[in-house]
Amino acid sequence: MNISCELIKDLAQPYFGGRVSEKTAKLIEGHLEECDECRYFYSGRRSVKTPHFKVEFSEPEEEQIALNLSRLSKRLQIRRTIGTVLAVITAVLGLSALLYDLISEHKK
Ligand SMILES: [Zn+2]
């Protein structure tokens, strides 16, 4: 059954008031999973009233982007740290190889 967005939005108030049947709630939730517009409409209302039925909403787009950005910068930071550590290790290895050469040269 295809439900119109208008109907879904009309049902927001009773839905958050817990005044819809479980079947209706399931229909609404099913629609929300597929419809960005209605999901946005519902997620904006979520904070006003605690829904009677527990619904998993995905994060609003902006929060998602901010989250992704912070994850990305964290990942970049880790990569940078690894790069620095590798550079230090390479430098130490090179230096010790050089020292080893110098010392063995000295012993001859
Ligand atoms: Zn819709």
Side-chain angles (χ1 to χ4, degrees):
M1 191 176 103
N2 225 341
I3 330 147
S4 77
C5 294
E6 204 174 342
L7 186 64
I8 293 295
K9 284 175 188 172
D10 279 347
L11 284 171
Q13 200 78 341
Y15 175 80
F16 283 110
R19 295 194 302 274
V20 293
S21 70
E22 203 162 332
K23 202 174 165 187
T24 307
K26 286 228 166 75
L27 276 174
I28 294 169
E29 286 158 19
H31 181 92
L32 293 182
E33 271 172 30
E34 283 156 25
C35 182
D36 286 341
E37 197 193 317
C38 290
R39 193 165 50 232
Y40 186 76
F41 183 83
Y42 269 63
S43 67
R45 282 174 177 244
R46 185 168 42 153
S47 51
V48 180
K49 253 182 190 175
T50 315
H52 181 69
F53 299 99
K54 201 173 179 295
V55 202
E56 295 293 328
F57 287 99
S58 61
E59 302 276 340
E61 218 166 306
E62 272 172 52
E63 273 178 42
Q64 196 83 293
I65 290 168
L67 209 69
N68 282 345
L69 274 179
S70 72
R71 273 190 203 144
L72 194 73
S73 67
K74 243 177 230 168
R75 215 174 295 162
L76 280 176
Q77 225 166 12
I78 290 169
R79 209 172 288 175
R80 220 173 291 153
T81 310
I82 290 171
T84 311
V85 168
L86 281 180
V88 168
I89 289 171
T90 311
V92 168
L93 281 179
L95 208 68
S96 53
L98 203 75
L99 278 174
Y100 183 79
D101 273 355
L102 278 176
I103 290 165
S104 52
E105 197 92 1
H106 208 71
K107 277 184 183 166
K108 271 179 196 168

